Amino acid sequence: MAAKKQESNNKSNKRKQNADAKANTDSSFSKRPKLAVSKSENNQVKKPFKPFKKQNFSKFKSQPGEEKTTPLSKRERRIHAKELTEARKKRRKQHYTLEHELARLWEKMRQRNIAKEERSKIISEAILKMKGKIPEIASSHVSSRVLQTCVKYCTQAERDTVFDELKPHYLTFATNKYAIHLVMKMLDNASKKQLADFISSLRGHAASLLRHTVGSIVIEHAYQLGNAAQKQELLMELYSTELQLFKDLSSMKESRLSDVILKLNLQKGSVLRHMASVIQPILEKGIVDHSIIHRVLIEYLSIAGKTSAAEIIQQLSGPLLVRMIHTKDGSQIGILCVKHGSAKERKKIVKGLKGTVGKTAHFQYGSLVLACIVSTIDDTKLVTKAVIRELQSILKELVLDKNGRRPLLQLLNPNCTRYFSPDEMASLSLSISSLNAMGELEINSETKPLKHEESSVKDNNGREVTMEKPDDSTSPETLQLIEGGKKDPSIRRQELLVGSGLAENLIDICIENAGELLRSNFGKEVLYEVATGGSGGILQETLGDKLNTLHEAIATLAAKSKSEESDKDHVLENFHSSRTIRKLVFESSMFATTLWKKALKGKCEQWTQGHSVKVICAFLESSDAKVRKLAKEELQPLIDSGTLKLPEKRQPANEG
């Protein structure tokens, strides 16, 4: 114990000695802060930091025995740095010199004003230099561009040489961000055999490539170029592991997944699990722009149970759906999401379209989704704010566009076969059978239990979609997925068309551009629907005065003489406008009266030839007795004299 005390005393004494030594060496040190510094102590104050100045080492004299170095100029330093970079690239890249030569040749061969013979000569030289090294240099951003140009302009024999060298490396290049462009250029210029070989090389790898951001582009390109059998070959391995392993099973005529399952007697649950393992990673990564993925999703929804289908709809509802509706299958998926989505999911879909409604309306298939939205979603305030307002900003452009007019025509005359083809009508009437069955089960579970038992038996045989029992974990929103809206369609249509101000804007556009719309192949149909007041006379009650103004505007154009319309066809002689006016005479007695009194009364004789005669005869062929009476007195003498000839089947009724 005594020894430990002695050691501690020695340590404390050492600390005191060290402190005294420091105090002696630096007498100016003090723990108290100094309020001022005297002039005599200025030398001890630290100077502010100054940035380091670049020293001119050329001023220093060289030591004896050393060579005297002169400073390098800026140009010399730049050249020296470039030489070092070149040397470093040569060490790092195996074919750096070759790439440099190819780049020089590429600058010549890609010129537009070069002669074909000269270009062929340069391409042959480039291919000769690359021969045997193509797989090694194809991944370079420089060499891949050279190869693309060579494949585009070279002879078939030279192209075959490039194909043969790259054939064993298709899968590697399909995931390379530079080589992918070469692969796509090769596919564009490939023969039927080469395309078939390429698609065969993808067998067993389609699912993994679809999950790859770059690889999915190659699969989509091959899918677009392939024939029906090759497309089926790519799709089949995404359906089931059995179809992926056995090539003979995938080569069958049936294209629908439900027919394939029925013919091969596959386990439906196994197919659904395999497809879910393919689809889920793709949706999580957001790779939804390709038509092959849209096809797979449609087939999956056709056999999925209500829970699985509801999950897919929930995942797609939002901005992802906007990127899908440019294809036929993608628009069908959009329609299914709108029809079967909950109120929350429909809101996400409409908000996801914000800012893209005008662009979507110009697409053939995107316009169908908009037509479905305006005829399905009950939240008219949301649809007015997000969809109708954007349509109003480009209304004239949409009226004259083949696809852009469809949402407008759907509101004016819903589901009219004049404006939608049979395929488009089938798309608009699509539904998911499992979700429909669930809705019927909720509504009619007490009244029709036996019917549901029979449908479940059919489902087990594979004829229809399987109906699953609701899980405890399923949310109430998911359980209420019933096709369409609950609001009365006429009320919804009234709120969107009239309440939003869209109808008034449409009438104004038609009045201002009546001549242009009448002569337009597409605009005439919108003008016709507006002038007749829409289906069911929806515009007559609130906008009757405006419609009369539109009728007068059309009649004013018809009242003009032929000399006034010398630069273009008169509206009564133009092919499109004469037929539109004729239909208006048949449909609207108000328009017929206005047209007769303002434009045709006393002038019928000059319009008895050409397209205009159809308009004149329409007054005598009308089903309205008042319209026939208007024109009969003036037209009967023309008929008797043979100046005006009516079709035999359409002779005016004898009212005598």
Side-chain angles (χ1 to χ4, degrees), residues 343-591:
K344 185 178 180 181
E345 286 157 2
R346 289 173 177 175
K347 189 174 183 179
K348 285 182 181 177
I349 292 170
V350 174
K351 285 190 173 182
L353 286 167
K354 189 176 181 181
T356 63
V357 173
K359 186 178 179 182
T360 303
H362 285 86
F363 293 153
Q364 178 184 357
Y365 300 113
S367 60
L368 293 180
V369 178
L370 292 179
C372 180
I373 286 173
V374 298
S375 58
T376 303
I377 297 180
D378 290 336
D379 191 351
T380 53
K381 288 186 178 179
L382 175 65
V383 176
T384 299
K385 186 177 179 181
V387 178
I388 302 297
R389 291 289 176 263
E390 286 196 41
L391 295 179
Q392 285 176 313
S393 62
I394 52 170
L395 201 53
K396 183 184 175 182
E397 183 182 339
L398 294 175
V399 167
L400 293 167
D401 186 71
K402 179 182 179 180
N403 300 317
R405 67 203 170 106
R406 286 176 172 177
L408 307 175
L409 291 170
Q410 180 69 2
L411 287 170
L412 290 165
N413 193 352
N415 300 325
C416 181
T417 53
R418 286 202 302 267
Y419 311 128
F420 296 98
S421 67
D423 286 342
E424 291 165 348
M425 290 298 295
S427 295
L428 288 172
S429 60
L430 273 178
S431 61
I432 301 173
S433 53
S434 61
L435 297 180
N436 281 345
M438 181 183 62
E440 292 172 6
L441 179 63
E442 290 175 355
I443 297 169
N444 304 321
S445 58
E446 296 180 0
T447 57
K448 298 181 181 179
L450 293 175
K451 185 178 178 181
H452 290 141
E453 287 177 7
E454 291 173 0
S455 64
S456 64
V457 173
K458 288 183 180 180
D459 292 340
N460 291 333
N461 291 333
R463 295 189 185 94
E464 295 180 6
V465 179
T466 305
M467 286 174 50
E468 302 174 3
K469 293 182 180 179
D471 299 331
D472 296 333
S473 59
T474 309
S475 63
E477 283 182 352
T478 307
L479 291 174
Q480 294 177 359
L481 298 176
I482 301 173
E483 180 184 353
K486 298 178 181 178
K487 187 178 285 188
D488 185 357
S490 60
I491 296 174
R492 184 194 306 117
R493 187 166 156 241
Q494 177 77 23
E495 291 173 355
L496 289 176
L497 186 58
V498 181
S500 66
L502 176 63
E504 190 172 355
N505 290 344
L506 266 175
I507 296 173
D508 291 337
I509 291 289
C510 291
I511 293 170
E512 293 171 9
N513 306 278
E516 183 180 359
L517 296 181
L518 280 170
R519 295 180 179 93
S520 168
N521 189 21
F522 306 121
K524 66 178 183 181
E525 293 172 344
V526 178
L527 184 138
Y528 167 75
E529 292 294 344
V530 172
T532 54
S535 175
I538 192 171
L539 307 182
Q540 289 287 356
E541 295 180 7
T542 55
L543 299 168
D545 295 338
K546 284 242 176 192
L547 290 178
N548 291 335
T549 307
L550 175 59
H551 295 165
E552 290 177 3
I554 299 171
T556 302
L557 290 172
K560 290 183 178 180
S561 62
K562 295 182 181 181
S563 59
E564 294 180 44
E565 298 285 345
S566 57
D567 55 333
K568 47 191 172 183
D569 293 342
H570 194 279
V571 290
L572 293 177
E573 294 185 326
N574 181 268
F575 178 85
H576 297 297
S577 58
S578 61
R579 281 155 177 77
T580 305
I581 294 172
R582 178 174 177 269
K583 284 199 300 182
L584 285 171
V585 170
F586 285 137
E587 293 295 327
S588 174
S589 58
M590 292 175 60
F591 172 77

Side-chain angles (χ1 to χ4, degrees), residues 40 42 62 81 91 108 112 177 255 302 305 317 338 346 377 379 399 428 520-521 532 540 549 596 606:
S40 60
N42 283 345
S62 59
R91 289 195 302 270
K108 296 178 181 178
R112 292 186 178 181
K177 65 178 180 179
S255 59
S302 68
S317 298
V338 171
R346 289 173 177 175
I377 297 180
D379 191 351
V399 167
L428 288 172
S520 168
N521 189 21
T532 54
Q540 289 287 356
T549 307
W596 178 262
Q606 62 177 316

Side-chain angles (χ1 to χ4, degrees), residues 21 46 78 134 162 193-194 234 251 258 260 314 332 339 392 442 451 458 464 503 529 551-552 576 647:
K46 291 184 179 180
R78 189 165 60 250
I134 292 176
V162 177
K193 184 178 181 302
Q194 289 168 342
L234 288 172
S251 56
S258 55
V260 173
Q314 189 175 4
Q332 290 179 355
K339 282 189 173 184
Q392 285 176 313
E442 290 175 355
K451 185 178 178 181
K458 288 183 180 180
E464 295 180 6
E529 292 294 344
H551 295 165
E552 290 177 3
H576 297 297

